[in-house]
Amino acid sequence: MNCKILTSYLYLYKGGIITGNIGDAHGRKRALVFSLFCMTVPTVAMGFLPTYKQVGGWSTTLLVICRLLQGFSVGGQLPSSLVYTLEQKPRQHWGYYGSMFSLACGMGSVLGNLIGALIRQLLTDEQLLEWGWRVAFFTGILILPVAIYLHLYGREHNPNEGHYNENDDGLDELIDEATVTSVDQRSNRSNTMAESITSSIIQNTRPLQHSFKKDNLAALLSSFLTPMLAGAGYYITFVWMSIYMSTLIDPPISGAFWVNLLASLFHLIPVVLAGWLSDIYGRNRVMSVGAVSVGIVAPFMLWIISRGKTVDAFFAQACIGILLSLFSGPIFAWLPEKFPPSVRLTSAALGWNAGICVSAGFSPAVATSLVHRFGKVAPVSIYPFFAVIALIGMFISTKVHNEEDESRIGGTKATLTLDSEFTDEASTRLL
């Protein structure tokens, strides 16, 4: 199992789960600060790693550890920063603010591409292999002042304050008390009260388990399938494409990394427009237009790129980016809307990370394999494949109840069914 697969595993099962639980139980800011610090250390450390000639196999081991820690932090960083931002904005403008988040992510990728292009342009191959590759990792230190500022001055936001219990002391006694009361004094109605309290206690102490309750599974499945187009589409178009243009096609495209950088700029501004339109016309409608457009037009654009002409490749790649923005612009508002606040961060992290791991994590390798096996045009099939998956995910999302309907997954409102005599004491102890 290579480093990429290991990183993806931790990205999904560890980072998202732990950070999501921190955010849902203890506050969004705490989760975000935690993930930022977790990203700073391994990123900078990679710039100081010894070479294989210096320490042998230990260099590989240290590299894998750093990559695992990076995956751990990314698994919670994106969902926590997204939820922290949106929940403090007016609900009717989530599409716009979510698109600004997408814009910020895109700008980060553009800066990364710019550094990569400059390093390749300014350094010789020998310098690049000897020390130039470390420069990009040293820039990770810029994350640290952001994390410190957020920790010191950022406002904590915890919509679930008092909802999740940090201490389980006395909960078993409360369950026993409710059960005894139901048997000896209350008959059938009191049995219902005891079940409601027990359900509430379980929910309050296990946010991860609560995310996998039956009534939340459709939202989880939808949040797993739908982002695949955003992940695979972006990685194929703006990460893998530079390698495709420079080494996988013949003739190669001159200045492929600069073409890739300039084309990626055309993906940034339209995402804000798409997010704003989704506030007016609805997320699924705008995203469906984007998914269908990418599935139909992007394969033809990739064929144009495969011909090896620089100017044509630039316009074709930019076209894919514009169409993809119609989908990726609204998705950062679409995702958290699928879940209620009580499990929003944990569930969004689980669904998003799973979808991105499968799509973005493996689509570049699949695309390269298709080129070697079937020719340079073969990767065109990736776009319609993930477009169909995204449309299926959005269809499933139409079956998900309103995200503010806490009662659909047994939230604390279940205690409202209790008789007034029992509610006064029990609800005080629970909440």
Side-chain angles (χ1 to χ4, degrees):
M1 185 177 291
N2 58 33
C3 180
K4 179 66 176 180
I5 297 177
L6 286 172
T7 303
S8 298
Y9 174 84
L10 203 59
Y11 178 100
L12 169 61
Y13 290 101
K14 303 298 182 181
I17 290 174
I18 294 176
T19 307
N21 274 266
I22 292 174
D24 282 332
H26 305 291
R28 315 305 197 199
K29 189 189 87 169
R30 184 179 299 186
L32 179 56
V33 171
F34 171 75
S35 64
L36 288 174
F37 277 108
C38 287
M39 174 59 78
T40 303
V41 174
T43 300
V44 176
M46 289 181 69
F48 293 97
L49 289 180
T51 64
Y52 187 86
K53 290 182 179 180
Q54 293 173 322
V55 296
W58 281 106
S59 63
T60 304
T61 301
L62 292 172
L63 175 62
V64 171
I65 292 174
C66 288
R67 290 293 292 164
L68 289 174
L69 291 174
Q70 280 186 315
F72 178 91
S73 63
V74 172
Q77 185 175 321
L78 187 148
S80 61
S81 56
L82 174 62
V83 172
Y84 178 74
T85 300
L86 290 188
E87 286 187 337
Q88 300 184 77
K89 302 299 181 182
R91 177 66 180 76
Q92 65 271 25
H93 300 308
W94 273 19
Y96 170 75
Y97 287 107
S99 67
M100 296 300 292
F101 184 86
S102 179
L103 174 63
C105 292
M107 290 179 64
S109 297
V110 169
L111 289 175
N113 286 333
L114 177 61
I115 292 175
L118 287 174
I119 290 175
R120 289 175 177 270
Q121 184 73 30
L122 299 176
L123 302 179
T124 64
D125 292 341
E126 292 76 13
Q127 291 173 324
L128 183 64
L129 292 174
E130 184 176 355
W131 58 268
W133 62 271
R134 300 178 184 270
V135 174
F137 296 107
F138 289 149
T139 61
I141 195 65
L142 299 176
I143 304 173
L144 184 59
V146 176
I148 294 175
Y149 180 86
L150 181 62
H151 174 68
L152 295 176
Y153 303 106
R155 184 179 67 177
E156 181 58 272
H157 175 65
N158 186 6
N160 304 322
E161 187 173 0
H163 185 70
Y164 290 105
N165 294 321
E166 298 182 11
N167 192 338
D168 292 344
D169 293 343
L171 294 183
D172 291 337
E173 290 80 3
L174 186 57
I175 297 175
D176 293 339
E177 179 184 345
T179 304
V180 171
T181 301
S182 66
V183 173
D184 295 342
Q185 302 177 22
R186 296 284 184 165
S187 69
N188 293 335
R189 181 167 178 77
S190 291
N191 278 319
T192 302
M193 291 190 293
E195 292 173 0
S196 297
I197 292 177
T198 303
S199 175
S200 180
I201 293 171
I202 292 174
Q203 175 234 322
N204 284 350
T205 55
R206 295 180 178 89
L208 178 60
Q209 181 180 5
H210 183 48
S211 296
F212 284 99
K213 295 187 74 171
K214 182 178 179 180
D215 290 337
N216 202 45
L217 292 181
L220 275 178
L221 179 60
S222 176
S223 67
F224 164 66
L225 295 176
T226 305
M228 285 189 179
L229 177 59
Y234 189 87
Y235 267 69
I236 290 296
T237 306
F238 297 116
V239 178
W240 175 81
M241 193 67 72
S242 59
I243 304 299
Y244 176 74
M245 292 189 296
S246 61
T247 62
L248 296 179
I249 60 175
D250 188 21
I253 293 176
S254 177
F257 282 87
W258 289 106
V259 171
N260 185 69
L261 173 63
L262 294 176
S264 65
L265 296 175
F266 285 81
H267 177 67
L268 298 181
I269 301 302
V271 298
V272 179
L273 176 62
W276 175 72
L277 289 174
S278 72
D279 284 330
I280 301 174
Y281 299 105
R283 317 282 184 236
N284 278 11
R285 185 173 298 178
V286 176
M287 291 168 63
S288 295
V289 172
V292 172
S293 300
V294 170
I296 295 175
V297 178
F300 180 67
M301 295 296 108
L302 185 59
W303 172 77
I304 293 177
I305 295 173
S306 70
R307 298 171 62 192
K309 297 181 179 179
T310 302
V311 176
D312 291 350
F314 165 74
F315 283 106
Q317 189 179 9
C319 179
I320 299 175
I322 293 172
L323 297 179
L324 189 62
S325 68
L326 293 175
F327 182 85
S328 57
I331 198 171
F332 287 109
W334 177 94
L335 178 67
E337 286 176 342
K338 301 300 105 182
F339 308 101
S342 59
V343 293
R344 178 169 288 152
L345 185 48
T346 302
S347 299
L350 286 171
W352 173 270
N353 290 342
I356 297 301
C357 279
V358 173
S359 59
F362 293 98
S363 57
V366 171
T368 301
S369 178
L370 289 174
V371 171
H372 291 317
R373 288 174 177 267
F374 304 106
K376 61 183 181 181
V377 184
V380 299
S381 59
I382 291 178
Y383 289 106
F385 175 77
F386 283 107
V388 171
I389 290 181
L391 291 171
I392 294 173
M394 283 186 284
F395 173 77
I396 295 174
S397 74
T398 63
K399 308 301 180 183
V400 177
H401 295 286
N402 187 282
E403 74 280 0
E404 297 299 334
D405 184 12
E406 288 278 358
S407 62
R408 71 181 176 88
I409 52 174
T412 55
K413 294 182 181 179
T415 59
L416 295 176
T417 62
L418 299 178
D419 284 348
S420 58
E421 294 180 13
F422 194 83
T423 303
D424 292 339
E425 179 179 0
S427 62
T428 300
R429 297 175 64 182
L430 283 171
L431 301 177

